[in-house]
Amino acid sequence: MASSSIAGDLHGEGRRFAIAAGRFNGAIVEQLVAGAIDALVRHGVKDTDIVVARCPGAWELPLLVKKLAASAKYDAIVALGCVIRGETPHFDYVAGECAKGLAAISLASEVPVSMGVLTTDTTDQAQARAGLKAGNKGVDAALAALEMVNLLGGI
Ligand code: INI
């Protein structure tokens, strides 16, 4: 018997997305939001089928994403934020709990939640990942969410 494979493509027609974005480090996060919207629209998602919900910071993202997932209005959720280490241990709590919370919500809700929360040591590193030098993680997170929607739809 021949093997078969399941994969998700990047066709976005008819799909609905929520983008959950933190306002902390907002100049950087808004570049991620713009990248995510652009990537989704380029892949066939109607801009009217994309909702952007903003919360104070990365700490609040899990609860916002949980409510968006429970609404059953979206095929997937793109979580975007920016946590910069600076010189405080606050970073580890905010970044760690955000990542753990997002993973738990995606597993419990079975709604794809992609992780576009930058965690960097410096502002320069964050800017590089928000479209300056090292791509745009908002784009990557949007495409990962779209791929997961289509992958799970084929199982
Ligand atoms: N929130 C962020 O999204 N990024 C950060 O770098 C950050 N730092 O460094 O503190 C941050 N803190 C705020 C946090 O997300 C909450 O909004 C706040 O603690 C209120 O609950």
Side-chain angles (χ1 to χ4, degrees), residues 24-25 56-60 82-84 90 94:
F24 205 101
N25 293 318
W59 178 267
E60 285 81 16
C82 176
V83 193
I84 298 174
H90 198 56
V94 172

Side-chain angles (χ1 to χ4, degrees), residues 21-33 54 56 81-82 84:
R23 285 197 307 275
F24 205 101
N25 293 318
I28 289 168
V29 177
E30 289 309 313
Q31 290 174 251
L32 302 177
V33 171
R54 291 184 175 81
C82 176
I84 298 174

Side-chain angles (χ1 to χ4, degrees), residues 10 29 33 63-64 92 96-97 101 106 115-116 120 140 145 150 152-153:
L10 294 176
V29 177
V33 171
L63 178 57
L64 174 59
D92 296 306
E97 293 307 313
S106 190
M115 169 70 171
T120 63
D140 298 348
N150 290 332
L152 299 186

Side-chain angles (χ1 to χ4, degrees), residues 13 42 47 78-80 96 105 128 133 137 141 146 151:
E13 292 79 7
R42 281 171 185 267
D47 56 6
V78 182
L80 302 177
I105 292 154
K133 283 190 238 166
K137 295 298 173 195
L146 179 53
L151 171 63

Side-chain angles (χ1 to χ4, degrees), residues 31 122-137:
Q31 290 174 251
T122 67
T123 302
D124 280 354
Q125 290 169 351
Q127 279 170 340
R129 290 159 179 74
L132 209 59
K133 283 190 238 166
N136 182 319
K137 295 298 173 195

